[in-house]
Amino acid sequence: MIKRVSVLTILILFGCTGLPTGSVGPQGEPGPAGPKGPAGPRGAKGNDGKSVSQELIEKIEKSLNSNDSESIIGSTAYSFGIAPRITGFVYLTSSGKLYKLENKNPQQLGKSIEFVTQISKSQKFISLSRTTYGDDIKQFFTAVTQSGKIITSEDLKSWNENATIPISN
């Protein structure tokens, strides 16, 4: 029994005192990923955003529409006054620019195009028309945008948005 106790004592002594060790071996392959843990607590609410200015909205719409080239989308004849009667033609571009070709007199067409106004800088136009009442004494011009806005004028210079056609985009 003493032999066993002495062997056990020797093993304990050598085990506690430490034997010389070798160098560290290479890193092993990573094991498989464990299961996903529970979700953490929800964070605090952030600050409210700032409103976008109308000017920025118009710039964005203009940049979106700038990819399309400008084209003439409509034309119509006009007549103002009785004596002397001023007649001509008006042309609308897809970007809302209005040009006129004014006749020299009721019998002779004009030869130069003149810029009148820009109805809107942020809308894409698709149509222009004219309606007359009472032997051309009263007339209305109507421009329509791609989004369905109806814009009207009596003098080709002042334009007012009257209504919107409810279309789905």
Side-chain angles (χ1 to χ4, degrees), residues 116-151:
V116 178
T117 191
Q118 183 157 10
I119 299 171
S120 172
K121 293 181 180 180
S122 62
Q123 299 290 324
K124 183 168 179 146
F125 288 83
I126 58 169
S127 175
L128 174 68
S129 62
R130 172 181 168 239
T131 301
T132 62
Y133 297 98
D135 198 26
D136 290 350
I137 293 173
K138 184 81 167 173
Q139 63 189 341
F140 295 99
F141 298 91
T142 303
V144 180
T145 68
Q146 189 174 30
S147 63
K149 290 184 181 177
I150 300 171
I151 305 171

Side-chain angles (χ1 to χ4, degrees), residues 12-151:
I12 290 174
L13 281 175
F14 283 119
C16 291
T17 59
L19 295 172
T21 60
S23 61
V24 176
Q27 179 75 27
E29 292 288 321
K36 187 174 180 178
R42 187 177 186 112
K45 182 180 182 223
N47 295 333
D48 290 341
K50 295 182 180 177
S51 295
V52 178
S53 69
Q54 183 62 32
E55 180 182 29
L56 180 58
I57 291 171
E58 287 176 4
K59 284 182 182 180
I60 292 169
E61 286 177 346
K62 184 177 181 181
S63 70
L64 291 174
N65 292 335
S66 69
N67 295 343
D68 300 335
S69 59
E70 186 175 28
S71 61
I72 303 294
I73 55 92
S75 67
T76 189
Y78 66 86
S79 176
F80 289 106
I82 297 173
R85 180 168 280 210
I86 299 169
T87 61
F89 300 91
V90 65
Y91 305 91
L92 180 63
T93 69
S94 55
S95 64
K97 293 178 185 171
L98 200 64
Y99 295 90
K100 70 178 180 177
L101 173 66
E102 194 165 287
N103 297 336
K104 290 185 178 188
N105 59 52
Q107 303 295 319
Q108 188 176 9
L109 293 175
K111 295 196 186 279
S112 64
I113 299 290
E114 180 183 329
F115 176 75
V116 178
T117 191
Q118 183 157 10
I119 299 171
S120 172
K121 293 181 180 180
S122 62
Q123 299 290 324
K124 183 168 179 146
F125 288 83
I126 58 169
S127 175
L128 174 68
S129 62
R130 172 181 168 239
T131 301
T132 62
Y133 297 98
D135 198 26
D136 290 350
I137 293 173
K138 184 81 167 173
Q139 63 189 341
F140 295 99
F141 298 91
T142 303
V144 180
T145 68
Q146 189 174 30
S147 63
K149 290 184 181 177
I150 300 171
I151 305 171

